[in-house]
Amino acid sequence: MSEMPTNRPVSRGILKSPLDFGGGLFLIGLAIVGFGGGFSLPFGQLSGIGSGLMPKTVAVLVAAFGVLLLVQSLFMRGDQLEAWAVRGPIFVLGGVLVFAATIRPWGLVVAGPLAVIVSALADKDSRPAELAIAAVALTLLCGLLFKELLNLPIPFDPAGLIPEPIFRAYVGVKAGIAQAFAALKAGIGR
Amino acid sequence: MTDLVGNLALGLSVALSLKNLALCFLGCLIGTLVGVLPGVGPIATITMLLPITFGIDPIGALIMLAGIYYGAQYGGSTTAILVNIPGEATSVVTTLDGHQMAKQGRAGVALGIAAIGSFIAGCVATVIIAALAVPLTAMALLFGPADYFALMVLGLMFAVVLARGSVAKAIAIILVGILLSTVGTDLESGEERLTFGWNEIADGLDVAVIAMGMFGFAEILRNLETTQTRDVVHAAIGRLLPNGQDMRQSAAPIARGTLLGSLLGLLPGNGAVLGPFASYTLEKKLAKDPSRFGRGAIEGVAGPESANNAGAQTAFIPLLTLGIPPNAVMALMVGAMTIHGIVPGPQIMTKQPQLFWGMIASMWIGNLMLLVINLPLIGLWVRFLKVPYRLMFPSIVLLCCIGIYSINNSPTEVIMTAAFGLFGYALVKFGFEPAPLLLGFVLGRLMEEKLRQALVISRGSFKTFVERPLSAGLLLVALVLIVIAILPSIRQSREQVFKEAD
């Protein structure tokens, strides 16, 4: 599980706990977005509370705790803010976004390797050759597993991009798996 | 008593059908396979594997999901022992002595005793669930909306007390979860709330999207930061079956751990997480030579692992009888059950006894299967864990993407998951714990519904919450809890418990 930031007490400056200060600002920001999104909703009466009561009340409470953290950060010693990594989030989440953008038009054959390769760039020590093999192998494996074996409606190769020989091999494996699975099903009985 | 036997017999007749046995086996196997991945805990595992249960009937799907759940749980312990990376909070304690045992060439025995302890705990917990289900369900029917509301407040307070770090932050993050739960169309008035005119979220946010973002992606981002030297055990795994002396040393800890874990797992608000900590502390206190702990004491694996599994299982009780998830994993189970058209709560047992008892019986069978699958497969898991992280995490990313896409065939949800990944990363950076948010998110909707009902019944009077004895009592306990959590002396000892585990 996530470990909390380690204790590194800060004593200098007005801000005794930058971590709590940041946390407080973060909460207040969330509360403003929440309150803004529910701004026009009616509060209703207590006997028939409206759709706005819950979001607005909760948003105000979130903001209150944000303020509490801000105040606390001035008086109680706490932890330093942790530095944010840039490379990790950009490539890992970038890989996810690329997957989302390509899965519909080109299917898993494009989205799979792209997601693997782009996200792998988050690690500076990624090795191109190893990565290329892993990307192709993982994609084919996931195709067989999710598309063929589990029948999920995920597009695999809607644009017909796979080169002929690989496709033939894939179809062969697919048929084999389908047979084995059918035999297994027949054995178990539905 | 005859009822109990009759009910379990009904359950076994369902769970022992060849198809359900196969699903249970498959669930345990895949659950372990994914759960073994370092940094992938039960929440991410269940979300990732949720789509594979779609084509199955509800009973089979639930049996498989439960299998995935304890498979993932057990996989987490395997990683804790072999790599010293706990898959989730409850296996943190296992790393202490388990990894030391592994370094001393006793990895096999550690894994073996963990499996045996878990199995015994699972058997006992199954019987406890079966025995408590009927009376608790009967009690649940007495609950009015006000009482339900109070019970959920109590559950969230427990979650606050048990969260690590500052009390204010824990409460705040639960509130953020509740705020997120209000996104989407209001069920009563049909008004769109907090959607900012965005159609894609008019149906509300999906619990799977939040869970995958915060526990799948954010966890990867954090793992990439810590350039951890993953020290996969190089020493031989050694024999798997504990010898006579090991068993003698472990018997009492397993019994105590099972009892502690079962009891704590019943608590609303993630009591299960306390089980392993409590068991470890207890064993250390009772030991003749406490200095052995932290250096590969078998009791330090046997007790907590039993407590872990017992708690993981009794945590189903509040979900199945009251319809209230006690922790983040169970909150996700609510989402999974809803997809299959099952509304968790007291009516499951009365209206769908086959489903209810079938699932409970399958828990016992699943535990047996874990024992049978895992001991011979340990060699495979070790090889699996030697795959470097630079290849492992892109694979996890791909599996997560496919899993999320398949839930609704929606690329937009994949994008939203990425956003929640960033959100979860920010939370950790600001020192918030993500798990209570998920609990608040799922309970938020229920709470609003019950609050509305209660106020309609009482014609707008808040007095109903203190006039009904049940709700008054529950709220009082919640109040006492929060006061205790704020008291400085308790706060210190609470921090110490978690420190010791780190």
Side-chain angles (χ1 to χ4, degrees):
Chain A
M1 253 325 269
S2 42
E3 299 118 53
M4 292 291 118
T6 43
N7 283 336
R8 272 169 300 160
V10 221
S11 52
R12 253 167 276 159
I14 318 170
L15 219 55
K16 297 260 167 52
S17 171
L19 184 73
D20 284 350
F21 189 77
L25 287 183
F26 183 66
L27 288 180
I28 292 172
L30 286 175
I32 290 174
V33 174
F35 199 87
F39 192 70
S40 56
L41 298 171
F43 230 79
Q45 298 96 34
L46 280 181
S47 54
I49 60 178
S51 52
L53 181 113
M54 196 76 168
K56 283 187 201 171
T57 315
V58 175
V60 168
L61 285 173
V62 170
F65 274 98
V67 173
L68 179 73
L69 282 182
L70 287 188
V71 173
Q72 210 181 7
S73 73
L74 300 177
F75 297 105
M76 277 167 68
R77 236 188 255 174
D79 300 332
Q80 201 60 272
L81 271 173
E82 264 186 271
W84 285 52
V86 178
R87 190 178 176 120
I90 286 183
F91 286 107
V92 170
L93 301 180
V96 177
L97 294 181
V98 168
F99 180 93
T102 50
I103 185 75
R104 275 276 170 86
W106 295 300
L108 200 58
V109 280
V110 172
L114 278 181
V116 172
I117 290 169
V118 174
S119 62
L121 294 176
D123 190 335
K124 344 186 240 312
D125 303 326
S126 57
R127 302 172 189 178
E130 174 191 85
L131 191 58
I133 297 171
V136 173
L138 272 170
T139 303
L140 292 178
L141 205 69
C142 285
L144 287 172
L145 183 67
F146 293 100
K147 177 86 185 162
E148 314 305 340
L149 204 59
L150 296 168
N151 278 325
L152 293 182
I154 192 162
F156 186 68
D157 185 20
L161 298 171
I162 305 188
E164 189 58 29
I166 299 182
F167 188 67
R168 226 175 285 149
Y170 179 80
V171 170
V173 177
K174 182 172 123 179
I177 288 179
Q179 262 173 13
F181 201 56
L184 196 70
K185 251 190 204 168
I188 290 170
R190 275 258 141 170
Chain B
M1 197 61 208
T2 44
D3 270 3
L4 179 65
V5 175
N7 286 333
L8 281 178
L10 169 69
L12 280 174
S13 73
V14 176
L16 282 177
S17 82
L18 217 44
K19 190 192 83 185
N20 287 340
L21 271 180
L23 288 173
C24 182
F25 177 81
L26 207 64
C28 287
L29 188 68
I30 308 180
T32 316
L33 187 77
V34 178
V36 159
L37 298 172
V40 182
I43 296 179
T45 308
I46 295 173
T47 323
M48 214 185 285
L49 298 176
L50 192 53
I52 69 174
T53 65
F54 283 179
I56 309 169
D57 62 300
I59 299 185
L62 272 195
I63 287 179
M64 189 169 181
L65 274 172
I68 291 172
Y69 169 49
Y70 24 80
Q73 198 92 22
Y74 186 81
S77 309
T78 308
T79 326
I81 291 171
L82 293 175
V83 204
N84 205 14
I85 297 176
E88 37 115 31
T90 50
S91 46
V92 170
V93 188
T94 310
T95 57
L96 298 177
D97 280 280
H99 192 61
Q100 286 304 320
M101 282 181 77
K103 278 188 168 164
Q104 294 159 10
R106 282 163 45 87
V109 176
L111 290 164
I113 203 74
I116 294 169
S118 296
F119 173 67
I120 295 172
C123 294
V124 175
T126 306
V127 176
I128 294 180
I129 296 181
L132 284 181
V134 179
L136 272 178
T137 305
M139 197 180 88
L141 296 174
L142 299 176
F143 272 48
D147 308 319
Y148 262 112
F149 183 81
L151 184 65
M152 285 186 268
V153 172
L154 176 64
L156 290 177
M157 280 308 136
F158 262 111
V160 167
V161 175
L162 296 179
R164 317 167 80 175
S166 125
V167 173
K169 280 188 170 174
I171 299 179
I173 208 61
I174 286 179
L175 287 169
V176 172
I178 298 179
L179 188 61
L180 285 175
S181 79
T182 63
V183 173
T185 311
D186 177 35
L187 286 180
E188 256 169 59
S189 63
E191 287 158 300
E192 285 198 3
R193 304 198 288 188
L194 279 67
T195 56
F196 298 95
W198 197 29
N199 255 336
E200 303 280 350
I201 54 173
D203 285 339
L205 298 167
D206 196 324
V207 64
V209 167
I210 299 181
M212 180 68 86
M214 297 206 329
F215 293 89
F217 295 151
E219 199 61 32
I220 293 177
L221 296 180
R222 285 179 27 72
N223 282 340
L224 281 173
E225 259 171 29
T226 47
T227 40
Q228 38 180 276
T229 43
R230 281 198 302 141
D231 76 77
V232 181
V233 167
H234 292 292
I237 298 300
R239 69 195 155 78
L240 287 173
L241 287 179
N243 60 22
Q245 200 208 342
D246 294 331
M247 285 310 284
R248 266 195 304 283
Q249 275 180 323
S250 309
I254 289 178
R256 286 190 289 260
T258 302
L259 205 66
L260 265 176
S262 304
L263 286 177
L264 291 168
L266 283 172
L267 292 183
N270 210 8
V273 77
L274 264 192
F277 291 108
S279 164
Y280 192 80
T281 317
L282 181 70
E283 293 311 324
K284 203 171 167 181
K285 285 239 164 74
L286 289 176
K288 279 187 206 125
D289 177 15
S291 67
R292 281 175 49 245
F293 280 77
R295 293 190 198 147
I298 194 164
E299 300 96 311
V301 178
E305 272 302 301
S306 313
N308 183 359
N309 204 43
Q313 230 163 307
T314 50
F316 269 106
I317 295 182
L319 178 68
L320 291 177
T321 58
L322 302 171
I324 295 178
N327 57 37
V329 184
M330 291 297 138
L332 191 59
M333 284 302 249
V334 174
M337 290 168 97
T338 316
I339 287 177
H340 287 284
I342 303 158
V343 181
Q347 68 284 358
I348 297 186
M349 197 176 80
T350 44
K351 289 199 185 131
Q352 293 160 291
Q354 293 207 321
L355 184 133
F356 186 87
W357 296 107
M359 186 172 166
I360 286 174
S362 85
M363 289 178 182
W364 182 77
I365 296 169
N367 275 296
L368 185 64
M369 281 185 176
L370 277 181
L371 195 65
V372 179
I373 310 173
N374 280 301
L375 292 181
L377 285 183
I378 282 169
L380 183 70
W381 303 146
V382 174
R383 206 160 321 148
F384 204 48
L385 284 169
K386 284 187 176 153
V387 174
Y389 197 64
R390 62 169 192 276
L391 287 180
M392 192 105 77
F393 81 85
S395 326
I396 300 174
V397 169
L398 180 60
L399 286 174
C400 289
C401 286
I402 295 176
I404 278 295
Y405 176 80
S406 305
I407 290 179
N408 283 326
N409 294 319
S410 149
T412 320
E413 290 200 340
V414 180
I415 297 172
M416 272 157 58
T417 311
F420 272 104
L422 194 63
F423 181 72
Y425 182 67
L427 282 185
V428 175
K429 285 292 169 191
F430 288 125
F432 294 98
E433 203 180 346
L437 186 145
L438 206 57
L439 190 59
F441 176 74
V442 170
L443 287 185
R445 282 181 200 175
L446 267 174
M447 281 174 86
E448 184 176 14
E449 188 190 318
K450 296 296 175 192
L451 180 69
R452 279 180 166 172
Q453 290 172 356
L455 286 177
V456 167
I457 293 171
S458 74
R459 295 202 183 82
S461 161
F462 272 109
K463 275 196 217 143
T464 178
F465 291 103
V466 284
E467 276 168 1
R468 293 183 62 98
L470 207 52
S471 107
L474 291 168
L475 286 176
L476 190 70
V477 178
L479 189 71
V480 170
L481 273 179
I482 199 69
V483 169
I484 288 176
I486 299 171
L487 285 181
S489 61
I490 307 269
R491 214 159 91 189
Q492 264 166 15
S493 63
R494 170 167 158 267
E495 267 154 30
Q496 232 163 24
V497 171
F498 288 120
K499 280 269 159 54
E500 201 167 326
D502 278 338

